[in-house]
Amino acid sequence: MERIGIFGGTFNPPHAGHMEAAKQAVTALGLDRLLLIPDRIAPHKALPADAPTPWQRLEMLRIAARDCPGLEVSDMELRREGVSYTIDTIRALETAYPKAELVLLMGTDMFLSFHTWRASEELVKKVTLAVFYRGQPEEREAVSRQKARLKKQGGRVELVKNEITAISSTQMRRLLAFHCADEFLPAGVGDYIRQNSLYDVNARWKNLPMDRLEEVVIRLLNPNRVDHVLGCRDTAVALARHWGADETDAARAGILHDITKALDGPLQLTLCAAHGKILSEFSRKYPKTLHALTGALVAERIFGENEAVVSAIRYHTTGKAGMNLLETIIYVADYMEPNRDFPGVGKLRDLAFTDLTAALRLGLEMTVEHLKRQGSELSPESREALEYLKQP
Ligand code: FE
Ligand code: FE
């Protein structure tokens, strides 16, 4: 009996993680073919307003899958009106391939919520479920419980051990905006994206007016970081007014300071590599601390910010010896903005408007304490900053 795999998703955009998973599925599950089926509208998530059209997603997937034996791209969900439900797709495939065994691919999250899907009890009898499963201890129990539950309903479940580092489409879109996505894009897809100006790859973001800058930045941040960033901007402007620094520079540095914070350690390294940045030993050891450096890089190259703004972003987490007024303001604003809440923040807020250098020193000292508790090392820049402040 022919075994046909079904791999649905938004593929927005299709990336190397999808293709690796698809190729692995063909081999691991012994599939005669694997259908890649982009959704018209995914029932589980809303697409951002700037997304490519469904037909452009289909085209990218065709480019990604060409020359891959066993992979076929299907437009069946795009041709159907309204929301795509898996059950409708499976009924259509049963008609098209009455003699085949249908194998539905999904990740662990989808599998664990399978009983909530539309017509899941009918669905489970029509297909074999193939679950991409990392085998992490914390998911093992939930997965085997769900497997037992579906078996009782007559379901067949196969687990595929997947060691592939999955990269989310949200992260992909950030990498595209920061011009460092190439290593995650299947051959030809990057060119298609550039030719069609998708995902902000060709956006002109240099010297944006403040309201546009804010819009763009919010789109690239993790939603839970937006309040912090807006708070940091407002605090930076208040401090700039108080101490006589450039308020526009303070606002721009404040809004941009955490622009790359949503990228995890490995993606920070990706961004540095794509922009030819050579890293210190400390940065390679603690790639999570890189967001200040990569933020400065993006502020300069993607947003065309001036030297003062770029430098304030560059040193907002570590500080450095001999910081200028704007650098100090951003460092302190980041520490004390209204959403921050930790012992000593009140004192820091008072000091910031009476003795800015003392506020900077307090911030650095609190960082030293915090890192000690965590068992992490202090960066060389922070050490130099403190030594500089101790000089008479
Ligand atoms: Fe930061
Ligand atoms: Fe911050």
Side-chain angles (χ1 to χ4, degrees):
M1 187 164 46
E2 193 184 18
R3 240 188 161 207
I4 302 179
I6 298 134
F7 185 2
T10 45
F11 300 105
N12 184 28
H15 53 67
H18 295 131
M19 303 322 287
E20 293 286 313
K23 286 181 213 162
Q24 196 197 348
V26 171
T27 328
L29 297 163
L31 301 174
D32 296 291
R33 59 176 120 181
L34 175 59
L35 306 179
L36 302 167
I37 311 182
D39 304 357
R40 188 180 173 86
I41 305 162
H44 303 282
K45 53 185 160 189
L47 292 178
D50 67 325
T53 67
W55 299 100
Q56 285 177 316
R57 284 187 286 118
L58 181 81
E59 189 52 34
M60 285 189 279
L61 198 52
R62 283 195 173 135
I63 293 169
R66 72 182 171 206
D67 308 326
C68 297
L71 302 192
E72 286 173 31
V73 178
S74 161
D75 63 359
M76 61 183 292
E77 290 199 0
L78 302 189
R79 280 186 282 104
R80 206 162 57 217
E81 286 300 313
V83 177
S84 325
Y85 286 106
T86 307
I87 186 67
D88 301 325
T89 302
I90 296 301
R91 284 178 189 145
L93 287 172
E94 266 187 340
T95 313
Y97 306 100
K99 292 209 174 91
E101 178 194 0
L102 301 177
V103 182
L104 184 60
L105 273 57
M106 65 189 71
T108 314
D109 291 356
M110 286 295 189
F111 179 61
L112 293 178
S113 68
F114 184 80
H115 54 283
T116 67
W117 292 19
R118 172 171 289 213
S120 69
E121 290 187 17
E122 180 190 342
L123 196 52
V124 81
K125 293 189 179 72
K126 290 181 183 294
V127 296
T128 299
L129 304 183
V131 183
F132 275 85
Y133 165 68
R134 292 180 161 279
Q136 237 81 304
E138 62 272 17
E139 62 182 11
R140 211 172 287 157
E141 206 188 299
V143 167
S144 55
R145 216 180 308 128
Q146 179 75 324
K147 195 173 163 183
R149 168 191 205 158
L150 295 172
K151 264 189 169 164
K152 258 189 222 152
Q153 296 176 20
R156 294 176 305 273
V157 178
E158 288 181 31
L159 300 181
V160 182
K161 194 83 181 270
N162 176 14
E163 301 297 344
I164 297 161
T165 18
I167 176 159
S168 74
S169 295
T170 313
Q171 290 293 47
M172 275 307 298
R173 291 194 290 268
R174 291 191 181 110
L175 297 180
L176 283 157
F178 300 150
H179 300 176
C180 58
D182 276 359
E183 72 170 278
F184 297 100
L185 291 172
V189 173
D191 290 336
Y192 182 89
I193 288 172
R194 280 183 285 271
Q195 277 153 18
N196 292 277
S197 293
L198 302 175
Y199 307 108
D200 299 321
V201 276
N202 297 333
R204 287 166 205 270
W205 283 342
K206 294 215 160 115
N207 308 309
L208 289 179
M210 198 58 199
D211 54 338
R212 271 286 289 145
L213 179 66
E214 190 177 312
E215 240 175 74
V216 168
V217 168
I218 287 175
R219 190 141 46 93
L220 294 167
L221 290 173
N222 228 330
N224 64 15
R225 189 147 295 270
V226 172
D227 285 348
H228 162 68
V229 161
L230 296 178
C232 181
R233 176 200 58 188
D234 295 344
T235 306
V237 170
L239 287 171
R241 189 169 305 152
H242 186 81
W243 294 108
D246 188 305
E247 290 179 34
T248 306
D249 283 353
R252 299 182 80 89
I255 198 102
L256 278 163
H257 82 284
D258 277 341
I259 185 70
T260 59
K261 180 95 178 184
L263 303 181
D264 59 15
L267 294 183
Q268 294 289 343
L269 296 175
T270 298
L271 201 161
C272 289
H275 288 272
K277 224 19 186 205
I278 313 258
L279 295 177
S280 68
E281 207 180 307
F282 183 88
S283 302
R284 264 196 299 268
K285 192 165 167 198
Y286 298 99
K288 272 193 170 168
T289 65
L290 274 172
H291 81 275
L293 191 146
T294 55
L297 203 59
V298 165
E300 184 189 346
R301 300 205 184 161
I302 310 287
F303 292 95
E305 295 299 324
N306 67 33
E307 238 183 276
V309 169
V310 170
S311 179
I313 296 170
R314 170 67 186 88
Y315 295 104
H316 85 266
T317 52
T318 59
K320 67 164 181 172
M323 289 163 79
N324 67 28
L325 181 57
L326 187 66
E327 287 160 353
T328 308
I329 284 173
I330 296 300
Y331 183 95
V332 172
D334 185 32
Y335 234 115
M336 64 173 258
E337 60 87 16
N339 300 286
R340 295 283 198 197
D341 186 18
F342 53 86
V345 71
K347 187 174 174 204
L348 190 73
R349 284 183 184 131
D350 291 341
L351 271 180
F353 287 96
T354 52
D355 184 344
L356 190 61
T357 306
L360 169 64
R361 184 183 311 155
L362 180 60
L364 285 162
E365 284 164 356
M366 288 193 294
T367 302
V368 171
E369 283 311 308
H370 176 74
L371 292 173
K372 242 187 227 161
R373 277 196 302 275
Q374 278 196 327
S376 307
E377 281 172 79
L378 187 65
S379 72
E381 286 97 338
S382 297
R383 188 168 309 114
E384 285 158 23
L386 273 167
E387 273 161 20
Y388 182 90
L389 291 174
K390 276 182 204 147
Q391 284 167 20

